[in-house]
Amino acid sequence: QSMGHTFYIFQMAVLCKVRRVILASSNHVMGGYKDISTHGPASVHPHSDPMVGTLPLNPQTLALSGDARAYAAAKLAGERLAMTLAELHGDTTSFVVLRIGWCQPGENLPATLTAAGSPPEFLLDGEEEGGGANGEEDNAKKQGEEDDKKDELWFKRMWLSNRDFLSYFDAALRLEVPTTEGDGEGPHRNVRRGFVLVNAMSKNKDAKWNLDQTEKWLGVVSTDDSLA
């Protein structure tokens, strides 16, 4: 349904000659980079090869939070449709895609981020805060806790503060999208005729997400850091 809604809205926007469409895409499009050690800080660009899905290391946490690959694939399909429609109709309807970082409902505080990515009041029934193992075996519990700590750091490094969230969307409404071929790089170049795609996270210490294109096109320089 999510994919269908996106397609219908995009098509109607083009038919009605809406000036600007903003797609709230997801960090899950690039979630496969989470466990790749060869990619260090600021190495995941908007034009990097997509690696859909963010899979928790702890099997129990994965069972509770679910497999994000289908969700990520739907978001990637939306991005590609936006890119295609922009190429055809970018002179009247332009598209800005924000790959949203990790947001929580309400206050969205870094202190409430967990390996499952949810604040305590939004955890699923039966889920322990932190998403650790059930303790039936000490070695399994310890391994689960270690895995959750690694995943929790991933979430904190892609946190998007409420302030940056609003600033990014406001800038996406106002920015001048290219009407000719843009200056993006590689086969997945993120700037094209009628189309701009950027990462949308806060400036968290040692994050893999590169924000150079975000700052260039949106003109927003984040000062929020979940690890500060």
Side-chain angles (χ1 to χ4, degrees):
Q1 286 185 339
S2 176
M3 190 182 298
H5 294 162
T6 300
F7 288 3
Y8 295 144
I9 290 172
F10 283 8
Q11 291 170 2
M12 289 304 299
V14 169
L15 288 172
C16 296
K17 297 184 178 181
V18 174
R19 181 186 69 86
R20 174 67 42 80
V21 177
I22 301 174
L23 172 63
S25 188
S26 172
N27 58 79
H28 285 294
V29 172
M30 313 297 278
Y33 287 96
K34 175 173 74 76
D35 302 312
I36 299 180
S37 59
T38 54
H39 282 72
S43 63
V44 179
H45 297 260
H47 57 263
S48 297
D49 294 341
M51 296 188 69
V52 298
T54 309
L55 301 181
L57 295 172
N58 184 345
Q60 287 198 344
T61 305
L62 174 59
L64 289 164
S65 62
D67 188 332
R69 284 176 290 194
Y71 170 78
K75 288 294 189 180
L76 179 59
E79 293 182 3
R80 294 303 166 85
L81 178 60
M83 184 187 303
T84 301
L85 291 175
E87 181 64 30
L88 296 171
H89 306 282
D91 54 338
T92 54
T93 300
S94 58
F95 293 79
V96 178
V97 178
L98 304 179
R99 282 184 179 152
I100 303 296
W102 202 259
C103 297
Q104 306 167 99
E107 292 184 272
N108 188 26
L109 301 175
T112 55
L113 286 169
T114 70
S118 301
E121 63 268 29
F122 289 93
L123 295 178
L124 299 175
D125 290 341
E127 182 177 355
E128 295 180 5
E129 183 177 349
N134 60 17
E136 292 179 359
E137 298 179 4
D138 287 343
N139 60 340
K141 181 178 180 180
K142 289 179 180 178
Q143 183 61 53
E145 289 173 348
E146 291 177 4
D147 289 342
D148 281 340
K149 286 181 181 178
K150 293 177 182 178
D151 285 344
E152 182 178 326
L153 186 58
W154 167 258
F155 286 120
K156 287 188 174 180
R157 284 176 172 167
M158 69 174 178
W159 174 66
L160 174 61
S161 70
N162 289 347
R163 173 168 56 181
D164 288 338
F165 182 98
L166 294 173
S167 296
Y168 287 154
F169 271 89
D170 182 66
L173 285 169
R174 302 171 186 274
L175 78 88
E176 293 293 328
V177 175
T179 55
T180 58
E181 279 300 305
D183 59 354
E185 303 175 31
H188 305 292
R189 66 186 188 277
N190 62 296
V191 180
R192 302 169 183 245
R193 177 176 180 266
F195 179 85
V196 172
L197 182 154
V198 296
N199 291 329
M201 294 80 185
S202 292
K203 204 159 192 174
N204 306 300
K205 183 180 179 182
D206 294 331
K208 289 186 178 183
W209 308 95
N210 189 292
L211 298 179
D212 290 348
Q213 290 282 298
T214 310
E215 295 174 359
K216 174 182 177 179
W217 287 99
L218 298 186
V220 177
V221 179
S222 170
T223 57
D224 292 337
D225 181 352
S226 67
L227 300 171

